[in-house]
Amino acid sequence: MDFEINTTTVISSISIVLIILYFVEAFFCARQLRKNHVTDGSEIILQHSKTKRYLLAPNTANLYSHEGSSGGKQVGCSSKGYDIWILQLDDNNNNNNTNQGPGRLIKHGDIVNIIHKPTLETLKSHLFPSPLTNQREVTLTTHENDPNNKWQILIEGAETNGFTSSLFEGKKCRFYHVATRNYLHSHSGHSNPILTAGNQEVTCYGAENDENNDWLLYVALRAN
């Protein structure tokens, strides 16, 4: 039995298959890409880029006691352990994200709260001096609406890309403290067994181009 091949039908069928394959591949690529991004409500680990130490609140009973301190809870960097932090978009101060609810991509320029998971207290800075270098003290607070809780995400290279970059794992970023116009900062060679519980001092510091302002994020649990 002879069959007449309709060239137009074959070409149309091939085109449909190619289109389906294109969208399937795009779907899985987008899904994989999203896995690497940091989303609103994700639980993260924060690593200081230069010294490779991790941000933590060593013991909630450890309070600052240096001259001029706030008496708040100590925050430091350690090579021996880390704490989990929750990155939460501040819906009252963001223009990049108009939708609400967890799972939104966090983008360059977004304002966030950084919540200490073990205590559910929020990372803050203020005008009190830091314990060792007389920069700005970094501590924790229970006051959710404290303006000193607000941090702006600045992603490395985003200003030169010409578009709003999303934050993803392993990408250097900075946390700009909105109220004091300083950056979340740490530095080697500054620790004290009492004043920082033996951990590397964490401060807020105003020098914009200091590489000690750089941090890396790793997702412990991603919010979908």
Side-chain angles (χ1 to χ4, degrees), residues 12-76:
S12 298
S13 300
I14 293 173
S15 298
I16 292 171
V17 170
L18 290 175
I19 291 171
I20 292 172
L21 290 175
Y22 170 81
F23 282 106
V24 169
E25 182 179 9
F27 170 78
F28 283 105
C29 286
R31 187 176 180 182
Q32 182 61 39
L33 185 63
R34 188 175 177 87
K35 283 184 178 180
N36 295 326
H37 280 78
V38 181
T39 55
D40 178 28
S42 289
E43 297 180 7
I44 63 168
I45 298 165
L46 275 170
Q47 184 184 42
H48 186 243
S49 177
K50 187 173 182 181
T51 63
K52 307 304 179 187
R53 299 191 177 201
Y54 297 95
L55 188 70
L56 49 66
N59 187 321
T60 54
N62 288 344
L63 305 179
Y64 287 121
S65 58
H66 57 282
E67 184 177 354
S69 78
S70 68
K73 294 175 181 176
Q74 292 183 13
V75 174

Side-chain angles (χ1 to χ4, degrees), residues 148-217:
N148 287 316
N149 297 352
K150 311 308 176 188
W151 305 85
Q152 186 177 37
I153 297 281
L154 302 176
I155 302 172
E156 183 184 51
E159 292 90 345
T160 60
N161 287 340
F163 62 92
T164 303
S165 299
S166 296
L167 182 62
F168 59 91
E169 285 187 294
K171 182 69 174 177
K172 282 184 184 178
C173 68
R174 294 182 176 187
F175 295 91
Y176 177 74
H177 189 246
V178 177
T180 63
R181 301 183 179 180
N182 285 250
Y183 298 87
L184 186 64
H185 178 96
S186 190
H187 35 222
S188 63
H190 298 282
S191 64
N192 180 281
I194 296 175
L195 299 182
T196 64
N199 295 300
Q200 183 172 284
E201 184 186 43
V202 169
T203 71
C204 256
Y205 186 53
E208 182 178 358
N209 296 320
D210 193 324
E211 61 184 342
N212 281 311
N213 299 339
D214 293 336
W215 297 83
L216 301 170
L217 286 83

Side-chain angles (χ1 to χ4, degrees), residues 106-152:
I106 293 177
K107 300 177 182 178
H108 175 74
D110 277 344
I111 307 298
V112 298
N113 296 315
I114 307 171
I115 301 169
H116 185 238
K117 186 182 179 184
T119 62
L120 296 182
E121 296 182 356
T122 307
L123 192 73
K124 69 175 286 185
S125 187
H126 40 210
L127 298 180
F128 290 92
S130 65
L132 303 178
T133 58
N134 203 36
Q135 296 175 9
R136 299 299 180 208
E137 184 185 88
V138 174
T139 184
L140 299 177
T141 178
T142 58
H143 300 293
E144 294 182 6
N145 297 319
D146 189 336
N148 287 316
N149 297 352
K150 311 308 176 188
W151 305 85
Q152 186 177 37

